[in-house]
Amino acid sequence: MEYRRLGKSGLHLSALSFGSWVTFGNQVDEKAAAEMMTVAYDAGVNFFDNAEVYADGQSEVLMGKALKKLEWSRDSYCVSSKVFWGGEKPTQVGLSRKHVVDACHAALKRLQIEYLDLFYCHRPDIHTPIEETVFTMNDLIRQGKILYWGTSEWSAQQITEAHQVAREYRLIGPTMEQPEYNLFKRDKIESEYLPLYDNYGLGTTIWSPLASGVLTGKYSGGIPADSRFSVKGYEWLKDRYETEDGKQRLEKANQFVKLAKNLNMSAAQLGIAWCVKNPRVSTVILGASRKEQLVENLAAIECVKKLNEAVMREIDAVFQNAPKPAPDFR
Ligand code: NDP
């Protein structure tokens, strides 16, 4: 495993990490969760990603039970949660002091841990002053309940504002951002955030490296019954590939599978290795619904060295003019 600094912070995260969106609590039960986390940890993964909204809290409950059972030394791994969508009531959503504090406490309880290593604002909240959120995150750090805080899918402008507030009041600003990054979605990491790496030492923990599995080529012959596109409640993901643009993206994925084959690796491995290759990426968060996928995907770290300039050019050529997916995941 390779370890990278999370931006300019002193925290070293594994270049590949493991997340639980869609899977834990929907496709993966407690036993399988513990098994997959063990596979990841044994391969050197030291960061496990979660959020209050995943399976309405059940994803954190499962991860908490697994952590308890596995009894790893608490200083050997990092766990995250994210705050934004905590329920239907007005006090249960967004980034107000009230919800951020409540969400932090609830996540700690579900995960059965004493502090969160990383805590994210899952989306920007235009109804809460940025000062309120930055002060609250700073307080949670001072109280020892979280160690680093960050954002997810914020614009460069919003992240900059958070840093300006932090500087003005001598508070701790956001350390990391969690954007989508894969061969269909490159804009934020490769262009919009460019000034933030130097100005603020931004770290990035990127999500959906395989575009929800599309880049494996698994959807080229239809939708397998045991795949993410068949999971109840996630029909909107499938819908995005039934449009003309979506069909073109599936075709790009087919070409990508052939390219990967020529390189003697799977498309999943090539898609993940391509994300790791970018030094702006601190960690690539993997998703897997079963152990075999995770084993295959973790081996992507060995494939990075095969991605020379010629290969990178070939990959770019495949995805040139690929239609961009819709801007958000929900
Ligand atoms: P991916 O794009 O890698 O998709 C993972 C899914 O693709 C798996 O669950 C599996 O689904 C399929 N898959 C993975 N590997 C293989 C393989 N080798 N062969 C065949 N199918 C495979 O990542 P995710 O979308 O899961 O995102 C990763 C993590 O990022 C999440 O768990 C979460 O922690 C985080 N995230 C954060 C978001 C945010 O807003 N901050 C949003 C989304 C995710 P299946 O078998 O069911 O088809």
Side-chain angles (χ1 to χ4, degrees):
M1 183 56 68
E2 178 192 335
Y3 296 88
R4 293 182 178 180
R5 279 174 73 189
L6 181 60
K8 69 168 186 195
S9 82
L11 185 66
H12 286 73
L13 293 183
S14 46
L16 299 179
S17 43
F18 185 45
S20 59
W21 178 54
V22 184
T23 54
F24 284 29
N26 287 307
Q27 300 167 289
V28 169
D29 63 13
E30 200 182 315
K31 186 166 167 275
E35 266 176 25
M36 285 202 280
M37 287 171 66
T38 303
V39 166
Y41 186 79
D42 289 349
V45 166
N46 69 3
F47 168 41
F48 298 89
D49 186 61
N50 221 317
E52 64 171 348
V53 71
Y54 295 171
D56 293 328
Q58 282 312 299
S59 166
E60 291 182 337
V61 170
L62 244 65
M63 193 175 275
K65 285 183 181 167
L67 289 171
K68 183 126 199 158
K69 186 173 137 196
L70 294 167
E71 291 184 327
W72 300 328
S73 173
R74 182 66 185 89
D75 59 6
S76 69
Y77 65 89
C78 299
V79 191
S80 73
S81 182
K82 308 188 198 80
V83 48
F84 198 91
W85 298 286
E88 298 297 321
K89 298 205 172 1
T91 51
Q92 295 172 328
V93 285
L95 301 177
S96 67
R97 178 172 293 115
K98 164 88 179 144
H99 184 54
V100 172
V101 169
D102 284 341
C104 176
H105 290 166
L108 291 175
K109 215 175 202 175
R110 286 190 293 262
L111 287 161
Q112 304 187 57
I113 50 180
E114 286 178 3
Y115 64 90
L116 295 167
D117 300 272
L118 287 80
F119 195 33
Y120 294 89
C121 299
H122 210 156
R123 289 293 179 272
D125 178 3
I126 56 165
H127 303 297
T128 299
I130 184 70
E131 288 84 354
E132 182 171 334
T133 305
V134 178
F135 265 97
T136 308
M137 287 296 189
N138 191 73
D139 286 347
L140 289 172
I141 291 177
R142 290 253 160 83
Q143 293 163 8
K145 289 174 184 167
I146 66 171
L147 303 187
Y148 300 88
W149 79 275
T151 57
S152 180
E153 296 296 337
W154 283 30
S155 68
Q157 174 66 23
Q158 288 161 328
I159 296 170
T160 302
E161 280 170 27
H163 276 287
Q164 283 167 347
V165 168
R167 274 190 185 166
E168 184 177 352
Y169 296 100
R170 297 183 149 272
L171 308 171
I172 298 172
T175 297
M176 67 288 176
E177 154 66 35
Q178 185 167 137
E180 181 176 5
Y181 185 56
N182 55 52
L183 280 155
F184 294 126
K185 203 81 200 292
R186 303 170 59 160
D187 47 338
K188 279 198 153 101
I189 286 277
E190 293 183 12
S191 52
E192 186 184 339
Y193 293 159
L194 282 182
L196 307 181
Y197 304 125
D198 287 339
N199 291 348
Y200 304 111
L202 185 77
T204 63
T205 66
I206 67 100
W207 60 269
S208 284
L210 299 177
S212 272
V214 170
L215 286 167
T216 65
K218 72 193 297 174
Y219 295 110
S220 61
I223 298 174
D226 59 354
S227 67
R228 178 172 292 185
F229 282 11
S230 300
V231 177
K232 204 165 161 272
Y234 293 88
E235 293 79 9
W236 55 272
L237 271 175
K238 170 179 61 95
D239 295 347
R240 294 162 102 193
Y241 286 88
E242 282 171 351
T243 61
E244 267 320 301
D245 278 4
K247 284 178 192 154
Q248 278 187 47
R249 282 198 298 277
L250 289 177
E251 178 43 37
K252 297 283 178 194
N254 290 343
Q255 293 172 34
F256 185 61
V257 172
K258 287 185 197 136
L259 206 162
K261 207 168 178 189
N262 289 339
L263 293 166
N264 286 323
M265 57 180 94
S266 71
Q269 290 168 336
L270 183 56
I272 291 161
W274 178 86
C275 295
V276 174
K277 173 91 178 163
N278 187 336
R280 298 300 191 191
V281 171
S282 313
T283 183
V284 175
I285 311 177
L286 306 179
S289 67
R290 59 203 77 139
K291 203 160 96 180
E292 300 70 44
Q293 292 175 352
L294 188 58
V295 170
E296 177 185 336
N297 297 356
L298 286 164
I301 202 79
E302 297 302 326
C303 302
V304 183
K305 53 181 176 289
K306 290 192 188 169
L307 271 63
N308 58 28
E309 272 179 38
V311 172
M312 292 300 270
R313 271 199 302 273
E314 269 188 272
I315 296 174
D316 280 342
V318 169
F319 290 92
Q320 208 179 25
N321 308 323
K324 289 201 176 21
D328 204 355
F329 86 101
R330 57 177 278 165

